[in-house]
Amino acid sequence: CIISGPPQFKDKGELNEWIARPSQASVDFKCSVCGSPEPNITWYVGDRQINSAVSGGKYKVKRKISLVVEGLTKKDATEYTCVAQNEHGFINHTFELKVIDRVLTKPVIHGPVNQTVTYMDDVKFECKVVMSDLQPHIQWLKHYQVNGSFENENEDPYVHIIQV
């Protein structure tokens, strides 16, 4: 950044036009600026200024450059603006927040695939999670037979959980 002059954004890559998050999550808007003298940063929700001195509850201003909005609901879907100003001028950026409800879906996986190997050879099965809206939990099971059947009288499969 410059030695003396109006505010400038340090990293324009942080300035997303909008951010979508599932309900009940939080979002952290960053407005990293530099300039000399050091710019004062003010945050707005819509056209209402957030008072960083009493920041708390839903809105938390951290080190002036970051606005955290917690416990997102559909009502939080609006515009959030940071304004950086010093005696040489000002800049601003508006983030548009869209809050989406989580739609739970089954994960999409690739694998495992059937393989044929010779007796006493090693085999490697892979299971890749391609898409999941939650943190997936992968568990490997080995099916086995009892008296020629893979299921008991309740139609529950005979399985061993394999510890990986």
Side-chain angles (χ1 to χ4, degrees), residues 126-145:
E126 290 186 331
C127 179
K128 294 183 181 177
V129 179
V130 178
M131 184 181 73
S132 178
D133 60 344
L134 297 173
Q135 180 65 36
H137 171 75
I138 298 174
Q139 190 173 48
W140 289 91
L141 306 174
K142 180 180 178 183
H143 293 264
Y144 63 95
Q145 290 182 3

Side-chain angles (χ1 to χ4, degrees), residues 44-72:
Y44 295 86
V45 177
D47 58 356
R48 195 179 89 237
Q49 181 178 344
I50 297 172
N51 185 346
S52 61
V54 291
S55 157
K58 182 168 265 319
Y59 306 112
K60 291 184 173 56
V61 178
K62 295 183 178 177
R63 299 185 328 260
K64 294 185 190 178
I65 66 166
S66 176
L67 173 67
V68 178
V69 184
E70 295 183 335
L72 293 176

Side-chain angles (χ1 to χ4, degrees), residues 2 9 34 58 70 77 87 94 109 112 117 125 135 139 141 150 159-160:
I2 55 176
F9 291 111
C34 57
K58 182 168 265 319
E70 295 183 335
E87 63 190 39
T94 299
I109 61 171
V117 296
F125 293 103
Q135 180 65 36
Q139 190 173 48
L141 306 174
F150 285 100
V159 294
H160 288 295

Side-chain angles (χ1 to χ4, degrees), residues 80-138:
Y80 296 81
T81 303
C82 70
V83 178
Q85 184 172 0
N86 68 11
E87 63 190 39
H88 299 288
F90 76 95
I91 55 173
N92 65 57
H93 181 77
T94 299
F95 301 88
E96 181 184 348
L97 177 63
K98 295 180 181 182
V99 180
I100 56 173
D101 283 325
R102 178 171 299 237
V103 178
L104 297 178
T105 59
K106 295 190 307 186
V108 176
I109 61 171
H110 283 170
V113 295
N114 291 334
Q115 298 182 51
T116 303
V117 296
T118 56
Y119 183 70
M120 297 300 291
D121 276 353
D122 293 336
V123 67
K124 180 179 180 181
F125 293 103
E126 290 186 331
C127 179
K128 294 183 181 177
V129 179
V130 178
M131 184 181 73
S132 178
D133 60 344
L134 297 173
Q135 180 65 36
H137 171 75
I138 298 174

